[in-house]
């Protein structure tokens, strides 16, 4: 071992990694402790819900609608090869409700909302506004972190449901243009193969994704350093880390849902 490495327990990178994991763990535990204690700042939670919804709504509308059309167009030729075109609405319903709706919403919110939260709190941190709140006898963690994470957990499931509706609408327009089927028939066939566990899994995924986006964005912003450069770094890391965790959680929740389904 080099003399310069003796001050580290393992190595500089490994020690930094474990320290960061410990800080993140304490940050999450502190959120649950503070979220259950008054005051609850309901007005700020509602304000953050509107902020999150307005940031992501236009992009989710456009993306969900296009995904519904594109996925339907791509699926039709494959089903036609097997003479199973009648199963197209069911396939679209399963894909959008179970996977694409919550996942697409979470990824869009990670880019729009997560980066915004990271940059906002990061700028407050480097300009010492958070320290000023402590001097003013305001709990900055509760007012800035708890409200934003809670708002993300409330808003993202709503946006996910909206994305599912818009995606199914885009799919229906494509199916209707090809087959002139009615909206009632399309919706009935779309939900014929979807069960309660599928809806429940989608809701749970959306809540978990919302918590992940909120907690990662606030954590990166709350511990931002290095001045204005740190603000951009916090926003970038909030997006990258949140997206990585969303994919990991998607895989884990789907696996757990499959275990429950076959019990």
């Amino acid at each position: 071992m080099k003399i310069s490495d003796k001050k580290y327990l393992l190595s500089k990178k490994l020690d930094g990694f474990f320290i960061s994991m410990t800080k993140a763990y304490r940050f999450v535990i502190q959120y649950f402790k503070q979220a259950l204690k008054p005051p609850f700042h309901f007005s700020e939670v509602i304000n953050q819900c509107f902020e999150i919804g307005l940031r992501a709504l236009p992009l989710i509308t456009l993306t969900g609608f296009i995904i519904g059309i594109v996925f339907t167009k791509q699926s039709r030729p494959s089903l036609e090869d097997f003479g199973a075109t009648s199963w197209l609405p069911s396939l679209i319903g399963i894909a959008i409700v179970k996977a694409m709706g919550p996942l697409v919403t979470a990824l869009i919110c990670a880019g729009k909302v997560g980066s915004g939260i990271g940059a906002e709190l990061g700028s407050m941190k480097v300009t010492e506004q958070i320290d000023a709140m402590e001097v003013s006898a305001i709990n900055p963690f509760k007012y800035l972190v708890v409200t934003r994470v809670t708002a993300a957990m409330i808003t993202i499931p709503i946006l996910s449901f909206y994305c599912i509706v818009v995606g199914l609408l885009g799919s229906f327009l494509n199916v209707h243009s090809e087959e002139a089927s009615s909206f009632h028939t399309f919706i009935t066939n779309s939900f014929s193969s979807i069960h309660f566990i599928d809806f429940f899994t989608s809701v749970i995924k959306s809540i978990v994704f919302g918590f992940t986006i909120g907690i990662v964005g606030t954590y990166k912003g709350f511990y931002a350093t290095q001045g204005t450069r740190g603000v951009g770094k916090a926003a970038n890391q909030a997006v990258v880390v949140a997206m990585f965790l969303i994919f990991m959680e998607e895989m884990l929740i789907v696996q757990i849902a499959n275990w429950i389904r076959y019990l």
Side-chain angles (χ1 to χ4, degrees):
M1 179 181 293
K2 296 180 181 179
I3 296 176
S4 59
D5 291 338
K6 289 185 178 179
K7 59 182 178 180
Y8 302 113
L9 184 62
L10 297 174
S11 68
K12 182 178 180 179
K13 291 185 177 181
L14 285 176
D15 284 11
F17 171 77
F18 286 115
I19 290 172
S20 298
M21 292 297 293
T22 303
K23 288 173 61 178
Y25 169 77
R26 291 178 177 176
F27 192 84
V28 173
I29 295 300
Q30 188 177 1
Y31 164 78
F32 286 108
K33 288 181 178 179
Q34 295 289 340
L36 300 175
K37 292 167 56 178
F40 296 108
H41 301 295
F42 289 114
S43 60
E44 181 63 16
V45 172
I46 295 173
N47 180 52
Q48 290 301 320
C49 286
F50 279 108
E51 285 288 328
I52 293 172
L54 290 176
R55 284 179 187 173
L57 190 62
L59 190 56
I60 287 176
T61 302
L62 180 61
T63 306
F65 188 76
I66 292 175
I67 284 177
I69 294 176
V70 171
F71 190 76
T72 305
K73 282 183 173 293
Q74 291 181 337
S75 302
R76 182 182 296 278
S78 299
L79 293 177
E80 285 178 348
D81 292 341
F82 296 96
T85 311
S86 60
W87 285 95
L88 184 60
S90 298
L91 175 64
I92 299 301
I94 292 171
I96 293 180
V97 173
K98 293 177 64 175
M100 296 178 67
L103 185 60
V104 168
T105 302
L107 294 177
I108 291 174
C109 289
K112 292 286 290 183
V113 178
S115 61
I117 292 175
E120 182 183 11
L121 266 64
S123 62
M124 295 180 68
K125 179 68 174 180
V126 300
T127 56
E128 299 181 351
Q129 295 181 49
I130 293 178
D131 297 332
M133 293 178 67
E134 292 180 346
V135 174
S136 303
I138 299 174
N139 185 344
F141 188 94
K142 192 169 187 66
Y143 188 79
L144 297 176
V145 176
V146 173
T147 55
R148 283 162 174 77
V149 177
T150 304
M153 294 173 65
I154 295 172
T155 309
I156 290 180
I158 298 174
L159 292 174
S160 177
F161 175 77
Y162 174 75
C163 182
I164 290 171
V165 171
V166 173
L168 290 175
L169 178 61
S171 177
F172 164 71
L173 292 178
N174 181 264
V175 172
H176 181 72
S177 65
E178 296 286 340
E179 303 172 3
S181 61
S182 67
F183 183 74
H184 179 268
T185 302
F186 175 82
I187 293 298
T188 302
N189 293 334
S190 296
F191 289 93
S192 61
S193 300
I194 299 175
H195 303 91
F196 173 77
I197 185 65
D198 301 321
F199 286 107
F200 182 75
T201 303
S202 295
V203 172
I204 293 298
K205 283 197 293 186
S206 299
I207 294 173
V208 173
F209 293 161
F211 174 78
T212 300
I213 292 168
I215 206 73
V216 171
T218 53
Y219 173 79
K220 292 298 182 180
F222 209 76
Y223 290 109
T225 57
Q226 301 175 357
T228 55
R229 180 183 178 185
V231 176
K233 186 177 180 181
N236 181 62
Q237 289 182 344
V239 176
V240 174
V241 175
M243 286 186 173
F244 172 76
L245 292 177
I246 285 169
F247 283 117
M248 297 297 292
E249 290 163 355
E250 170 77 15
M251 180 178 63
L252 181 62
I253 294 173
V254 168
Q255 186 62 50
I256 294 173
N258 289 335
W259 287 340
I260 296 174
R261 188 189 303 274
Y262 295 114
L263 285 178

